Structure formats: structure tokens, C-alpha cells
Amino acid sequence: MPSDTLWEIAKAEVEKKEICGNDGEGIEVCEKAVFFIGSKNGGKTTIILRCLDRDEPPKPTLALEYTYGRRAKGHNTPKDIAHFWELGGGTSLLDLISIPITNETLRTFSLVLVLDLSKPNDLWPTMESLLQVTKTHVDKLIVKLGKTNAKAASEMRQRMWSNIQKDHPDRELIDPFPIPLVIIGSKYDIFQDFDSEKRKIICKTLRFVSHYYGASLMFASKSEALLLKIRGVINQLAFGIDKSKSISVDQNKPLFIPAGLDSLSQIGSPPLSENDIGKLHAQTPMDLWKKVYEKVFPPKSASTSKETRDPARDPQYAESEVDEMRAQKDQIQDDVFFSEKDNSLYFTYGGQSNTLEIRDLNYQVNGACQVPWYEQLTEFKISCMWNRGQDSPVPVIQNLNLKVRSGQMLAIMESSGYGKSFLLDVITCREHGGKIKSGQILINGQPSTPQLVRKSIAHVRQHDNLLPNLTVWETLLFVAKLRLPRASSDAQRKKRVEEVIAELRLRQCANTRVGNEYVRGVSGGERRRVSIGVQLLWNPGILILDEPTSGLDSFTSHNLVKTLSRLAKGNRLVMISLHQPRSDIFKLFDLVLLMSSGTTIYSGTARDMVKYFTEIGYPCPRYSNPADFYVDLTSIDRKDRQREMTSSEKVKSLATLFLEKVRDFDDFLWRAAEEESMLNVSMEPRSHIISEKTINLPSSPSYHQLPGTIQQFAILIRRQISNDFRDLSTLLINGLEALVMSMIIGFLYYGHGDIQRSFMDTAALLFMIGSLIPFPVILHVIAKCHSERAMLYHELEDGLYSAGPYFFAKVFGELPEHCAYVIIYGIPIYWLANLWPDPEHFILSFLMIWLVVYCSRTMALWCAAALPTLHMSYFLVNALFNSFYLAGGFIISLDNLWTVPAWISKVSALRWCYEGLMQIQFNGITYMTQIGNITFPVEGKLIIDALNLNSHPLYVSYVIIIGISIVFIVCYYLSLRFIKQKSRQDW
């Protein structure tokens, strides 16, 4: 029609194509769909491929698969289209049934149920589950369809009975399936080998179910004849081809019973005696047949019959690399990413509630103090210039007011490098290079002091400082022995470690090494939680963490902050500093302190921060993270002078505005008016929180005494030996180095036999023995000490132990390694070089080597403790060792040294070692010296007298080397005691 619009014409054409014809009894649709469901590995794919004349081998079904089929009616006529859907996984993916069957496709759908006859015990549960879920879903769709198209819904209900004749005797006893249904029993070739009675029960049961639902029933196998019959039935469902009228009800042959051609009289009663049937107490015929069938073929127990709910865990879809990564993810989710509803392990603080209050705090630092003295030295700065220009005091915290109580987690957010760490250092009385200009910090109403901080605050630093070769359990246990009261038993300490491991979700890695950047161990998030656990062991009331999520991925960061939130709920005050946390982490915070250049921009509840900034004209854009947006908003842009001034003015105005809004609040926290009462409730101390993990310590003063010096020494030496001897790679390399050096020198002088070695060769050998091996030892000791400096500094600062016990543990703890090293080096070289074979001379020589190497080790310990960086320690020890080496008496005679090197030689352990070895090997020996053709004997004593190496008795060399070692040991102790053992990043 000319008046029709283009839309109306297109709509009419689509409706014309959809409806192929109307015979007055229903609507026949050209595009139909067949849905294959059934037993897992039952042969559904094989049937579909056979119906589509495809020769490709069947593949495992991946959940829900779709296949497109077409069939031509004749020449130059449109082809009929069929949509084949296949559900995999047996009964494990029932939720997917609703995907292909919808209101739009309902009238075109047919269902094919494929049951594995070779597994009779699984047959009924599979059939029942699949049919019930499908029928329930289709019934709901028909009811829904009736509300919009009553005619179509009525036609569908009438079509259910189309296969049942009106005069059929069972018409009132059956309940046809709402859509066309075909039941196929597959693997008949296996089924026919069953016992005849079992086959009879299975056949009669399937006939009853098929007849009850108005379905067709047929058996299939690999036989081509059976597949052709099946193909005809499927084609009738998919393309409307006339169905076969043949029928076979003989249980000794494959069943083939089209819908409506069977009857209850032909099927007969259930294969059970009347007395037994009466005992089953069935309420419906279907229920009766089920109980009879399950009496003969009981279903498997739930533990064995339960199918995999997740198809990714099905062995037929196995992919080793993907499955391995999935297993790791599942383990992390199960053990770390816990539910918020899991309250069973709140590691509750059992003491009084704590309050941390900051009043009008102004803190400033001296720029010069922030530059290490050794860097100032390298820049040739002089003291008179240190307080000029940029080195004048710089305010980093200005007019800060804050009040936090137990049960709350406060997040301090600010751009990087603007004072978050300074604030935490001031709170914990660790202000380095700065001072409080005004204001005060109160802990439970008392002014903050180092002693009070140690008793009530645990500080977790930004960097993890742990021994890498100890396991998580050992790390926490050693700290528990050092930090828990002396009166605690070993069982109590172990119980505390178990509680901390459980609370921090570290059970899965409790026996894994902590590791570091060089040693493979736990993950970064787990290592961070171990650092928290070290502080949590003594159950502090206040927990402060400096950037705990630094270096962690978003998933691990979320888990970590969620753990901290749980700790806060356990009657504990938690304060953390972060840069810009992601949105789901931001939601975990109770309170937020947003700062910029040391000034407070916002302080209040996290949930009210967006509302506050919206009220003052800075709403957070939709789909933006408030933490990101407002940290960016309050950052100083230092790209150029103009931008810096503009952004600074904006920050100053925001700080002034906030100060005016909270001026009348005693806790200095902004709150929305309608949220005031709720905020006050949330601010109440949570001292009433009690759980099975609450720890109540006795109040006896003697109970709170920490382990004494002897106990600390015993614990520390065990910890050091455990850590050192776990580092097998380093031990093997050092041992191999000593062995190789010994073998090289030994074989260089090997082979003389009875031929006497020249005096100069022997003198060179003895000097090399005492001077070559100490240097690698020195390098190793310095590197090891600097790797432990940060841990040592923080543990001493936390009062975990004093310098004395650590000093003795370090000195004595390295003796086993030292002895093994000298044995590997000293014994082979002595015998290979054919030195004096007498046992007395060997023992004296070995003792001399042992002492000089240990003296070098003590010198390295002192250099490592005295200077702040690894390179400076290397420089000092290299200068000392080279001076001692050159003044040792071999490079140049002692008689030819001028005053300074002569004095150096007197304190050179290498000189006294060389002199002692020369006396051991030459005194009492006669050397045959040849000049020209004349050979004459020379006493060895005369030779060492000529070199001025025999001016003191032998024991003097031992005494002096021991004395030098003692001096270095004392210097090492003084360095530990009076020089802060900061790592480079802390200076």
C-alpha cells in the first residue's frame, strides 16, 4: 500500500517469513530448535553429527554448545533451518537450561533426553533432575506467555496432547511434557550384555516414564541401522519430516516406541511383588516406579555421585597451565580473601580501650638534616653553609588536630613525599632530623614518651626487614620468645604464634621461607603480613603502619587492608598511611585524614568525605575513585611557578575552610548533620567486644618482665645459626672458594718431594697463606652485616633486645662457619705444599691461620657497624687491609720501613701471622744453599733473623693477633651500642 511506511512494510515481510502456513490447528514455524540434554558422555554429540551428515570426530561438550543446520525442501525453495543446542556436564550445569529456551523460542523447541544405558545406577537421578528443571522452566514461560498472548499459550497446551489419541485408555493417567520430548537410551551395545532381568526392569521403567510424559522412546548404539532410525526422529523434530510409524517393544531388541503408541496395560506393573510394592508407600505412580527402580539400582552416595559443579574442574577439559594457575588463585581466595562474616578469629585486644589525640601539632625539619653527612661530605659542604637557603627549617605538619579511638581504622592520605611518614615518626617518638615546634601528642591522656610508645604502639615500617632463610613459623616464634613475658611458657608462646598465623591467614605458608629479593620465599603480601604479625605477637592496643600496600598488587592490597580492618574491629586502634587506595579499599576505612603539604584538608569518616567536598563545591565525578580524585585535587602542581602558586592558594583555602567547619568539634572530625548521632555511636570504644581470642595478661609486674640478657643471647644465637645454615648456596660458594684457592696454591707448590724448596719460595708461600684468604672473608662479612642492618636497627629501636646479646650472638654465632672455612682452606694447602709434616708444627700453623682469619672477620664486623653504607665500609676495610698487607714484612723488609708504615706493621695481623709462620717453619731447620758450584748449610734461624722476623718469641705473635682481634671486637660492640644501625634508606 502506498500509504504504508517503510517500517510497516519490513515488519510485514518478517511476519510473512516467520509463518509458513496456518492449517487452523496451530502455527508451523520454519525455524525450529532441538535441545539435547542427558548423561555425561552419553553420545549427544555423535547423534547431532549423524543427523547433520558430518563425519568429524565428536569432541567434549564445553558447557552449552550450538550447531546450525539447514535442509532443502526442493529445487529453488528456501531451506528449513534447525538450531541444535547441546548441554554438557550431565546434571552439573542445570542453570544453563534457561539460556536457549526463552519466550521467543518456546513454540519452536523440542527436547531430546539422552540416557546412558551402561550406567543404570545414574540413569534415574540424571533423568529426574534434567526433566524436572526443564519442565519447571517451560511451565513458567508458558504462564508468562499466557499473560501477553493467551492464544499462543492455549495452542501450546493443546499441542502437548497432540500425540495422545482422544480415546486412548491412559489419557487421564498421564501428564504430557509441555514441549515435544524424545528419550534416547544410548550405548545399547553394552546394555544388551546385561542380565535379562536387569534389562527388563530398565526397559519397563523407561517405557513408563516415556508414556507418562507423552514422549518417544528409542535405543541407540554405534549400529548404523539404529542411528538411521534416530536420525529420522530428530529430522522430524528439526525439519518437520514425517515420522516413522514402526514400533518395537521387545525388551530383547532395541526399543523404538513413538509417542502415543504405548499403553500402561502393555507396559505392565512394576517388576516387584505386591507385598513389596505395598511396603514402599508411594503416593504417585511415578514415585512408585522410582522406588522400585532404585531398589534394584540404588543411586550412588552423594560423595561419589556428586558431579563437578564447575566444568573447568572436569578432567576432560584439563589444561595443565591454566588449571595450575586456577588452583593457586583458589588457594589464595580460600586462605586469604576471607568473608567479612567470618568473625571467629578476631584477634581481640583484651586491654583497656586506647585513644590517640593530636593537638595543634606543628612539626618542622631541617633540610640539611635530611641529607646524610656522608653525602654532604661528598658534595664538599662545610658546616657554616649547612643552615643557609634550602637548608632552613621546613614545616611539614601544620596545625594538625586529630582524635582516634580503639575500634577505628584511620587512613592518612597525601601525595608522595609530603609528610605522612613524618607524622607517623612523630607519633612513635622517632622524629629524625626535626622537632615539634608546638602542640602535643597524647596517648590515653598522657603525653607521648618513648617508654609509653614502646608499651602501647606497634610500628610496622614500609620495608619488610626479616631474615630470609627462616620460615614464617620460625620467624614469629623467635620474636615471640623475645617479646613475650619471661614467665610465658613455650606452649603459650606457640599458641600465640598459632593465633597470629590464623588471624593473618598465613597457615598455607607457615612452613615456607620468608625470602627476599634474592631468596625465593613467600609472596610480597604474605611477607607484609608476617611483618605485621611480628608486631601483633605482643598484642598491642595501637597498630601503626607506614604504607603497608606499597609494592603490592591490588588484590593483595585489598586483602591486607581487610585484615587490618578486622584487627581494628578487635578493639584495636589502627592507623595506616597510603597514597591513593583503590575504591574498594577506600570503603574499608572508618576515618580518613587527607593532607596536603602538611595541612589538613579533610578529617572525618570515609563515607562522608564525598558529601563534604560536594557541599563545598567539589563533587566527585561519577564512576571515579574518591581517593584518586581528592588526592589529585589537593596536590601541589610544581610544573612551573604559576601553577605552583595557584594550587598552593587552593590548598590553603581548603585547609582554612575545613578548620572553620570543625572548630567547635572536640574530636576535630567533620560529620554530616544527619549522621551525627550515628557517628557518635560508631566512635564509642569497643571494649565490650569479647571473643575467644581475647588475651588477658596477668597484672603482676614480674609477669611483664621480658627475657633477660642470657635468654636473649640464647634465642638470638639459635636464630642466627638457623638462618645462616639454611643459606646453603652461600655456604657452598664460600666453601668452594676456600677449597679452590687452597688447591691452586697447594698444587703450585706441589711435587718437590725430597727436593728442598728454596727459601724465597717458602717465604712467599707462607705470606700468601696468611694474606690471601682473609680478604674474601672480609667482603662476605660486610655484605652480610649490611643486609641485616635495617632489621637490627628496628629491632633495637623496638626494644626487642639490647645491643649486648646481639653482639655476643653475632660473635659466637659465626664461629662454626669460620672454623669450617679455615679447615677447608688450611688443611689441603698445608699438606699439598709439603710443609713441615710434624703434627706440632701443623697444629701451630693451623692455629695461626685460624686467628688471622678471625681477626680479619672482626675487623670487617667493626667496619660494617661503624659506617652507614656498604661502599664506605668496603672503602675503609680495603684501606686497612691493604695497609696491613703492604706492611706485612714480605713486600718490603721491616728494616726498610719508615716511621708510619713501621707503626702500621706493629698492628698488622698479617705481619704477625707471617712472622709466626716463618718461625714455625724455619726454626730448627738447616737449609742447603748453593752458590755457584759450592753448596753449604745455613741455619733457618739465621735467615729469619736476617729478615728481622725472629725478634720476638713465637707466642708473642699469637698474643698480639688475639689482642688486635679483641680491639676490633670492642670497637664493634661500641659501634653497635652508640651508632644507630640504620640502613641506607633510613639515613
Side-chain angles (χ1 to χ4, degrees):
M1 294 177 61
S3 60
D4 289 344
T5 64
L6 182 61
W7 174 258
E8 291 173 342
I9 296 173
K11 183 178 179 181
E13 287 295 323
V14 171
E15 291 177 349
K16 181 179 178 181
K17 288 183 178 181
E18 283 185 348
I19 303 177
C20 298
N22 189 347
D23 56 4
E25 296 180 0
I27 299 176
E28 184 182 354
V29 183
C30 293
E31 293 192 12
K32 296 187 178 182
V34 183
F35 193 10
F36 286 79
I37 60 177
S39 302
K40 188 176 180 180
N41 299 322
K44 300 182 290 295
T45 307
T46 302
I47 296 174
I48 294 174
L49 295 175
R50 190 67 186 86
C51 293
L52 297 176
D53 292 327
R54 295 183 183 176
D55 296 329
E56 59 189 78
K59 297 179 181 179
T61 306
L62 299 176
L64 185 66
E65 292 194 358
Y66 168 79
T67 305
Y68 179 78
R70 295 190 300 173
R71 192 177 192 88
K73 294 181 179 179
H75 185 64
N76 292 331
T77 59
K79 295 182 178 180
D80 289 337
I81 298 173
H83 307 278
F84 293 92
W85 293 88
E86 181 182 0
L87 180 70
T91 59
S92 63
L93 302 171
L94 296 177
D95 295 339
L96 300 182
I97 288 177
S98 61
I99 294 178
I101 308 178
T102 63
N103 273 328
E104 292 75 17
T105 62
L106 181 61
R107 288 176 288 171
T108 67
F109 244 87
S110 300
L111 188 68
V112 176
L113 175 62
V114 181
L115 300 173
D116 190 347
L117 296 176
S118 66
K119 299 178 181 178
N121 298 86
D122 295 334
L123 190 146
W124 188 281
T126 301
M127 176 177 63
E128 183 179 43
S129 299
L130 292 170
L131 291 181
Q132 282 184 356
V133 173
T134 306
K135 188 176 186 299
T136 301
H137 176 65
V138 173
D139 287 340
K140 290 180 180 179
L141 292 180
I142 293 176
V143 172
K144 186 176 180 181
L145 179 64
K147 296 178 180 179
T148 58
N149 192 342
K151 180 181 178 182
S154 177
E155 289 175 351
M156 286 206 64
R157 293 190 183 97
Q158 293 176 7
R159 190 175 63 173
M160 292 164 53
W161 295 92
S162 61
N163 292 325
I164 308 299
Q165 298 177 4
K166 293 182 179 181
D167 57 350
H168 197 287
D170 303 329
R171 191 174 178 86
E172 301 297 329
L173 302 176
I174 62 177
D175 182 18
F177 208 74
I179 58 177
L181 171 64
V182 175
I183 299 178
I184 299 176
S186 64
K187 301 185 181 180
Y188 176 76
D189 50 340
I190 301 176
F191 171 75
Q192 65 183 353
D193 295 332
F194 285 8
D195 180 72
S196 61
E197 285 300 321
K198 291 184 178 181
R199 291 204 313 269
K200 178 181 178 181
I201 295 173
I202 296 173
C203 290
K204 292 187 69 172
T205 301
L206 290 179
R207 285 180 64 185
F208 171 79
V209 174
S210 300
H211 182 59
Y212 181 82
Y213 284 124
S216 300
L217 173 65
M218 54 204 67
F219 287 175
S221 69
K222 296 180 180 179
S223 169
E224 188 66 25
L226 292 179
L227 287 175
L228 285 175
K229 284 188 175 184
I230 299 295
R231 177 183 178 185
V233 174
I234 303 302
N235 285 337
Q236 189 275 330
L237 296 175
F239 303 110
I241 300 175
D242 293 339
K243 58 184 178 182
S244 173
K245 300 295 184 180
S246 63
I247 182 172
S248 174
V249 296
D250 187 355
Q251 67 185 32
N252 296 316
K253 296 179 181 180
L255 296 181
F256 188 88
I257 309 174
L261 299 185
D262 209 346
S263 66
L264 295 177
S265 60
Q266 293 178 354
I267 297 172
S269 61
L272 207 63
S273 65
E274 293 184 2
N275 291 334
D276 291 336
I277 291 177
K279 296 177 181 178
L280 294 177
H281 304 290
Q283 297 180 355
T284 63
M286 183 65 73
D287 190 32
L288 174 62
W289 278 91
K290 175 184 178 181
K291 291 185 176 181
V292 171
Y293 184 86
E294 290 184 344
K295 188 175 181 63
V296 182
F297 300 104
K300 297 179 180 179
S301 62
S303 60
T304 57
S305 64
K306 184 178 180 181
E307 297 195 48
T308 305
R309 298 299 300 173
D310 187 353
R313 302 182 187 277
D314 196 321
Q316 67 176 331
Y317 310 132
E319 294 184 50
S320 57
E321 295 182 358
V322 176
D323 292 342
E324 183 178 353
M325 290 188 289
R326 183 186 178 96
Q328 293 175 358
K329 177 184 175 183
D330 291 343
Q331 183 179 3
I332 293 174
Q333 289 178 332
D334 292 341
D335 297 331
V336 181
F337 204 63
F338 47 81
S339 171
E340 282 288 346
K341 297 180 181 179
D342 179 14
N343 297 328
S344 61
L345 286 176
Y346 282 154
F347 193 76
T348 306
Y349 174 68
Q352 65 174 3
S353 296
N354 293 277
T355 302
L356 177 63
E357 187 174 358
I358 301 175
R359 296 180 182 175
D360 299 320
L361 180 65
N362 286 274
Y363 180 76
Q364 61 186 19
V365 299
N366 191 331
C369 295
Q370 301 308 305
V371 180
W373 61 266
Y374 51 86
E375 290 188 9
Q376 296 178 3
L377 184 64
T378 58
E379 296 174 5
F380 299 101
K381 289 186 177 182
I382 56 177
S383 58
C384 63
M385 299 175 60
W386 287 357
N387 293 322
R388 296 183 183 178
Q390 64 176 1
D391 296 336
S392 59
V394 178
V396 294
I397 301 175
Q398 304 178 55
N399 301 320
L400 176 62
N401 291 279
L402 188 66
K403 192 173 185 179
V404 193
R405 298 181 176 90
S406 291
Q408 298 174 337
M409 180 168 65
L410 169 70
I412 305 172
M413 297 193 305
E414 189 178 17
S415 298
S416 178
Y418 282 97
K420 299 187 299 296
S421 297
F422 280 116
L423 175 57
L424 300 185
D425 288 339
V426 173
I427 293 174
T428 55
C429 297
R430 295 178 174 92
E431 56 272 21
H432 304 301
K435 67 177 182 177
I436 298 177
K437 186 177 180 181
S438 62
Q440 60 180 159
I441 299 172
L442 303 176
I443 300 176
N444 298 327
Q446 302 179 18
S448 175
T449 62
Q451 294 75 20
L452 181 60
V453 166
R454 284 189 179 183
K455 293 180 180 179
S456 55
I457 297 180
H459 188 191
V460 181
R461 282 79 176 181
Q462 182 176 357
H463 302 282
D464 300 314
N465 301 302
L466 304 166
L467 291 176
N469 295 303
L470 298 180
T471 65
V472 172
W473 170 268
E474 291 170 337
T475 299
L476 296 177
L477 185 60
F478 278 122
V479 175
K481 291 179 178 180
L482 289 167
R483 196 63 189 261
L484 296 185
R486 183 189 306 177
S488 300
S489 64
D490 288 340
Q492 289 175 321
R493 294 188 180 102
K494 291 179 180 179
K495 182 182 178 182
R496 183 70 66 85
V497 171
E498 290 175 354
E499 290 170 346
V500 171
I501 286 176
E503 175 62 37
L504 298 178
R505 298 304 193 269
L506 293 169
R507 290 189 186 279
Q508 75 281 358
C509 62
N511 296 317
T512 304
R513 292 189 186 188
V514 172
N516 56 18
E517 61 270 24
Y518 306 111
V519 179
R520 186 180 181 86
V522 299
S523 66
E526 290 169 337
R527 190 178 300 116
R528 189 60 50 85
R529 278 182 278 142
V530 174
S531 297
I532 296 173
V534 166
Q535 298 296 335
L536 198 61
L537 277 168
W538 60 281
N539 202 28
I542 302 175
L543 185 62
I544 295 180
L545 304 99
D546 188 5
E547 306 221 10
T549 61
S550 178
L552 303 181
D553 61 88
S554 58
F555 176 79
T556 307
S557 299
H558 183 274
N559 276 302
L560 182 61
V561 177
K562 184 175 276 191
T563 299
L564 297 175
S565 177
R566 287 166 54 87
L567 293 174
K569 292 176 182 177
N571 194 32
R572 190 176 284 105
L573 191 161
V574 177
M575 182 182 295
I576 61 176
S577 65
L578 300 97
H579 286 303
Q580 290 169 280
R582 72 182 198 181
S583 56
D584 58 347
I585 294 178
F586 181 79
K587 293 178 182 177
L588 297 173
F589 301 146
D590 297 317
L591 303 175
V592 171
L593 172 62
L594 178 62
M595 302 175 67
S596 180
S597 296
T599 59
T600 303
I601 307 298
Y602 173 80
S603 178
T605 60
R607 65 173 181 270
D608 290 334
M609 190 170 81
V610 175
K611 186 171 185 178
Y612 168 78
F613 280 101
T614 302
E615 288 185 2
I616 63 175
Y618 295 96
C620 180
R622 193 178 183 184
Y623 306 124
S624 294
N625 178 9
D628 290 336
F629 180 74
Y630 291 120
V631 170
D632 292 343
L633 175 69
T634 57
S635 297
I636 306 297
D637 189 351
R638 304 186 188 276
K639 291 183 179 178
D640 53 57
R641 184 65 178 170
Q642 183 64 33
R643 292 184 180 181
E644 182 177 354
M645 291 179 61
T646 303
S647 56
S648 297
E649 289 296 326
K650 180 178 67 174
V651 167
K652 188 180 297 183
S653 63
L654 289 174
T656 303
L657 180 60
F658 178 78
L659 184 61
E660 293 176 357
K661 287 183 175 293
V662 299
R663 190 181 302 276
D664 298 330
F665 297 155
D666 61 344
D667 55 4
F668 312 105
L669 299 175
W670 185 86
R671 66 203 68 179
E674 62 273 16
E675 298 290 338
E676 183 171 353
S677 59
M678 184 181 299
L679 183 61
N680 288 335
V681 172
S682 67
M683 296 299 179
E684 288 300 320
R686 303 191 186 187
S687 58
H688 62 279
I689 298 178
I690 301 295
S691 79
E692 62 181 12
K693 295 300 177 185
T694 301
I695 295 177
N696 296 311
L697 300 178
S699 58
S700 172
S702 61
Y703 184 88
H704 291 279
Q705 292 181 358
L706 296 179
T709 302
I710 302 299
Q711 288 177 292
Q712 291 179 5
F713 165 73
I715 295 168
L716 289 173
I717 197 170
R718 284 199 301 269
R719 185 179 74 165
Q720 177 168 330
I721 292 175
S722 298
N723 180 71
D724 291 348
F725 282 85
R726 294 274 180 82
D727 192 5
L728 294 179
S729 58
T730 301
L731 293 176
L732 290 175
I733 290 174
N734 290 338
L736 183 63
E737 177 185 50
L739 180 62
V740 169
M741 189 174 294
S742 175
M743 300 298 284
I744 290 176
I745 297 174
F747 281 115
L748 181 65
Y749 288 90
Y750 180 75
H752 287 274
D754 296 332
I755 302 176
Q756 194 174 46
R757 188 185 299 110
S758 70
F759 160 75
M760 289 305 299
D761 290 344
T762 304
L765 170 63
L766 296 177
F767 186 76
M768 282 191 295
I769 290 175
S771 61
L772 288 185
I773 198 60
F775 194 68
V777 174
I778 288 173
L779 300 181
H780 167 66
V781 170
I782 290 180
K784 183 179 177 182
C785 287
H786 275 278
S787 69
E788 298 175 359
R789 276 183 72 111
M791 180 201 70
L792 173 61
Y793 169 67
H794 293 310
E795 289 182 343
L796 289 174
E797 195 174 46
D798 291 339
L800 204 61
Y801 47 79
S802 58
Y806 178 83
F807 161 77
F808 285 107
K810 190 71 175 176
V811 170
F812 290 105
E814 293 192 349
L815 285 179
E817 180 183 355
H818 169 71
C819 292
Y821 195 79
V822 175
I823 289 172
I824 294 174
Y825 172 74
I827 294 179
I829 197 173
Y830 191 89
W831 299 108
L832 285 173
N834 197 27
L835 294 174
W836 194 263
D838 181 56
E840 180 182 353
H841 288 76
F842 168 74
I843 293 174
L844 291 174
S845 299
F846 180 83
L847 180 59
M848 185 65 70
I849 297 172
W850 192 97
L851 286 173
V852 73
V853 175
Y854 190 76
C855 182
S856 300
R857 184 181 291 271
T858 58
M859 180 177 66
L861 289 173
W862 169 63
C863 292
L867 296 176
T869 68
L870 179 67
H871 296 91
M872 294 183 71
S873 297
Y874 277 156
F875 172 79
L876 177 60
V877 77
N878 196 22
L880 291 174
F881 187 84
N882 284 335
S883 299
F884 295 156
Y885 180 87
L886 294 175
F890 177 77
I891 304 299
I892 184 172
S893 175
L894 295 176
D895 293 334
N896 297 327
L897 294 175
W898 61 286
T899 306
V900 173
W903 278 102
I904 293 177
S905 70
K906 294 182 183 298
V907 295
S908 170
L910 301 183
R911 172 259 171 103
W912 294 107
C913 175
Y914 176 54
E915 181 171 326
L917 291 177
M918 289 287 286
Q919 291 181 16
I920 293 170
Q921 295 297 322
F922 282 97
N923 278 335
I925 299 176
T926 301
Y927 265 81
M928 304 305 296
T929 303
Q930 181 175 354
I931 300 177
N933 294 327
I934 302 173
T935 301
F936 55 91
V938 177
E939 293 292 331
K941 184 177 181 302
L942 298 176
I943 299 175
I944 58 177
D945 285 341
L947 295 175
N948 197 22
L949 296 176
N950 205 21
S951 58
H952 301 86
L954 178 60
Y955 72 88
V956 173
S957 297
Y958 291 102
V959 171
I960 292 179
I961 295 177
I962 293 174
I964 296 173
S965 300
I966 293 175
V967 171
F968 281 131
I969 288 176
V970 172
C971 292
Y972 174 53
Y973 173 75
L974 295 176
S975 299
L976 289 178
R977 181 68 177 81
F978 297 106
I979 298 177
K980 292 185 176 181
Q981 299 299 299
K982 300 180 184 179
S983 62
R984 183 187 180 94
Q985 70 230 15
D986 292 322
W987 279 90

